[in-house]
Amino acid sequence: MNIRQKIGLILLLVFLFACGGGKTEGQLHSVIFSASASQSSITAEVARWQDSNNDGICDSPTPLSASTELVFRVTKIDVPQNTNPSPVRVDLISLSYNPLGTGARPQIPSKSETHSVVIQPDSSQTISIKVIDESQTAQIANFMQRDSAFSYQVIIQVRYTEIYSGRTQTYTVYVTLTIKETAEDETCTR
């Protein structure tokens, strides 16, 4: 190997090391980020039907929400001793909904939540997010029929930043959401 090849190889190794080496999803310069949902499948009830005017007929749906916990983990990777592994900040969580199954399904609008969750290297942190909120279930209630259910794949995208380097990436978590109508209040009928 001549001197030019050796210099080229050294420069290539320095470049790869500076970029964190063949990057995989979740790997930053000095840490690996991962996220998971506490439940892979969630059942949400659209509304609780109540009698709003005391005539015995369930005529007032109260929209409900469904939540899950997201667990974020930051793990140090092998770095030189003089490298200080960076904390990671989660700053945005976006949710989008893909209908599952056959037949017409109401569209659920995507939504995003801003956060400022900082996770130190070799630690984890848990937050609760609404997979579907009251305004979304209120929209779906119009499509529900007695004993009907709709299923969706919820795509949860977590945007995070390695604080020291400023590098930003996105990690994706998938959850199955089944939305069904609830039983009515025992004091009324529909």
Side-chain angles (χ1 to χ4, degrees), residues 35-62:
S36 61
S38 62
Q39 303 162 299
S40 61
S41 183
I42 299 166
T43 299
E45 296 177 334
V46 171
R48 185 166 325 292
W49 289 91
Q50 298 171 336
D51 181 3
S52 62
N53 57 6
N54 296 322
D55 63 359
I57 297 173
C58 297
D59 52 10
S60 176
T62 302

Side-chain angles (χ1 to χ4, degrees), residues 9-37:
L9 181 60
I10 290 170
L11 289 174
L12 177 63
L13 289 173
V14 167
F15 175 75
L16 283 175
F17 179 75
C19 292
K23 192 161 57 170
T24 60
E25 181 172 324
Q27 183 172 330
L28 296 165
H29 186 262
S30 62
V31 294
I32 295 175
F33 176 87
S34 66
S36 61

Side-chain angles (χ1 to χ4, degrees), residues 5 9 31 53 64 74 78 134-135 140 150-151 166 172 179 188:
Q5 290 172 325
L9 181 60
V31 294
N53 57 6
L64 303 173
V74 175
D78 293 331
E134 293 85 350
S135 67
I140 292 171
F150 300 127
S151 293
T172 305
I179 302 168
C188 62

